[in-house]
Each structure stands twice: as C-alpha cells, then as structure tokens.
Amino acid sequence: MTTATEFEYLRDAAQVRPLRGMGEWAEAEVVIPDGDFAGYRYRLKRQPVAGLFFNEVDSGRWNRFAATGPQQSGKSLSFYIIPAMYHLFEIKEAIIVGLPTMDIARDKWQRDFKPAIEASRFRELLPRTGPGARGGTPELITFGNGATLKFMSGGGGDEKRSAYTARVLVVTEADKLKQMEGRTRAYDKRKRVYLECTVSIDTGRIWTEYNNGTASRVCLPCPGCGAWVSPEREDLHGWREAANEYEADLSACFACPSCGQFWSEAERAAANANPRLVHKTQEIHA
C-alpha cells in the first residue's frame, strides 16, 4: 500500500457518517412486517401523524416523548418499535426496553421486535447464537453492529437494574417508569425516553405523562368551514343506531366540532393527510 493510498484510507475511515432523521430513516429502512401492508415499505403518507411525531423527535427540543392512540392504529410500530430500531441500527447504541414484567420479554421480542428486524436489511445483524437467536426469554441481545437491547422490568429490587445504564429507554405499558428511567440519569439532557401505551383510565401513567407534558393534539382542517379541529369520540355519529358492527362501520362518520358538518370518508382521509401538531395553550388561526 502506497503512502497516498494509506492516507486516503485513513481519511475515508475518519469521516463522520451523517445521521438521518428518524422519519427519513424509517421510510428508507423499515418494511412493515405484518397486516394489510406486510412487505411494503413504511410510508408516512399512510400514517401522517407519525411524521408529526418524528419531526418533534428530530427537532432536538425534547428528550422525553409520550405517545398514545387507539388500539390497532399502528402506534406500536411508529412510537415504540421504530424508535428502538433507529437507535440500534442508525445511531448504533445500547437501548433499554422497559416492560411491566420480564414475563412478557419473550413475546415482545418474538412478536414485535424480531419480525420488524427480519423484514428489514438489518436481519443480517440478528444474533446467530445466544440470547435472541432461538427460543427462550432473552434479557440482553447483542447485534452484529455491537449495539445491545436490554429488556428491563419495573419490578424487583433496584440491584437488578443498577449494573446497566443506557442513553435510550423505550417503554411500553409504562408502569413503574421511575425506576427504569433512573438507568438514563447519567446522560442528563442527552437521554431519550420514549413511552407508548393505550389510554385506559384518567389516572393511568401514560395519560398523566401526556397531561404533564405538552399535551399535544393533532389538528385537522375541516373540509366545510376550514377550522382546525381535533375530533374526539363524542364527534363520531351514526354508530349508536346501527344493529351490528358491520352497519356501524358503514354508517359512522365524524362531524366537525366547530361547524357540525358531517365528513365523508374521502373528506376524513383528505383532512388526515394534512395534520398539524398543536401543543398545550397553542391555537391555529386560519
């Protein structure tokens, strides 16, 4: 190897790889592992609200994120699995995945994380031997790029958690969050905490986190009056009169909370394609 060639090699090796934003990375790397769009690339146009979330993550303004939504809305993939994969495979760092109990670690790995990784090009980084390679309950999984995923529960004594720290904590069913979040304390403002859960009761952890934070809501433009509104359950009409779920699916529709106009399915889809995120105390004046 000549001196010039060696210099070029060292120069190229020293180059800092630019990191992609989470939304850009997701569209480039994530393949949907199951459901109606299994095998297709992840696209924000199918889940515009996820784009709002990724924009806030990439903004650098926050280090804690609490996201919620209805069941079967794709929130686990967008707000839980993708953030975990992003830190593992784009930033290549250790993460902690927080669980209510370690009893569900095997299911979370086999049903959530592993299928999503296997559907992507990062399948080559899955461990071939040891934890995560076959059955059993994995606790610490090491990938081919050196990144690690540590499952950790909120139960048990703190001595089980004290030996492992990481900058990133991703939590589902966020009970006993405080103990797990202590493992990120050393990283101060550089830490990243992602919380995802379906709201159950007003005093539940995820709803408390939501209300104590920015309490951000998704606003949509009404196709009738043009006001920016956030339709809620009480704005869904037509389902109570239906004889069964099939009829309810055909007859139910949202009405604008501002002008009362009923939205057709096409109008609802068009409104959802142009969402805006509004934080606590903010308003949109068209």
Side-chain angles (χ1 to χ4, degrees), residues 269-281:
N272 274 279
N274 186 29
R276 292 186 185 178
L277 196 65
V278 178
H279 302 315
K280 186 187 297 182
T281 74

Side-chain angles (χ1 to χ4, degrees), residues 4 6 9 31 44 63 72 95 100 108 118 137 146 179 181 187 194 203 233 239 250 253 265 271 286:
E6 186 174 355
Y9 172 81
V31 177
L44 291 175
N63 59 21
Q72 304 299 314
I95 71 168
K108 288 297 179 184
E118 286 178 329
T137 300
Q179 295 100 312
E181 192 169 359
Y187 294 89
Y194 302 92
T203 56
R233 290 181 180 180
W239 61 274
L250 294 176
C253 64
E265 183 60 18

Side-chain angles (χ1 to χ4, degrees), residues 1-75:
M1 180 182 290
T2 67
T3 301
T5 303
E6 186 174 355
F7 174 78
E8 290 176 1
Y9 172 81
L10 292 173
R11 181 198 62 195
D12 293 342
Q15 298 250 349
V16 177
R17 178 177 58 91
L19 295 175
R20 292 168 288 182
M22 191 176 289
E24 178 188 358
W25 178 88
E27 288 205 308
E29 303 289 0
V30 176
V31 177
I32 299 174
D34 52 31
D36 293 341
F37 293 99
Y40 285 85
R41 292 268 181 191
Y42 182 88
R43 289 291 179 258
L44 291 175
K45 67 180 181 181
R46 298 193 194 104
Q47 286 281 11
V49 68
L52 300 177
F53 172 77
F54 295 145
N55 287 342
E56 294 301 319
V57 172
D58 294 338
S59 74
R61 291 185 293 173
W62 328 100
N63 59 21
R64 299 179 81 256
F65 307 89
T68 186
Q71 293 180 341
Q72 304 299 314
S73 62
K75 68 181 184 302

Side-chain angles (χ1 to χ4, degrees), residues 141-212:
I141 298 169
T142 302
F143 297 91
N145 64 355
T148 56
L149 184 159
K150 169 72 171 177
F151 284 109
M152 190 176 291
S153 74
D158 191 65
E159 67 278 0
K160 293 184 178 180
R161 294 180 289 271
S162 60
Y164 193 91
T165 61
R167 187 178 76 97
V168 178
L169 171 65
V170 184
V171 181
T172 186
E173 301 176 40
D175 290 336
K176 299 193 176 180
L177 168 65
K178 188 174 182 180
Q179 295 100 312
M180 291 184 283
E181 192 169 359
R183 300 301 93 223
T184 69
R185 189 174 296 125
Y187 294 89
D188 195 28
K189 293 181 180 180
R190 292 181 55 243
K191 71 181 180 181
R192 288 292 181 270
V193 178
Y194 302 92
L195 315 174
E196 177 272 324
C197 192
T198 301
V199 174
S200 54
I201 56 175
D202 289 346
T203 56
R205 183 77 203 209
I206 194 69
W207 196 240
T208 301
E209 290 282 341
Y210 171 80
N211 284 307
N212 287 344

Side-chain angles (χ1 to χ4, degrees), residues 102-110 114 130-139 141 151:
M102 286 301 295
D103 294 338
I104 64 174
R106 182 177 182 276
D107 282 347
K108 288 297 179 184
W109 172 247
Q110 294 291 344
K114 193 175 181 180
R134 290 186 172 83
T137 300
E139 212 169 295
I141 298 169
F151 284 109

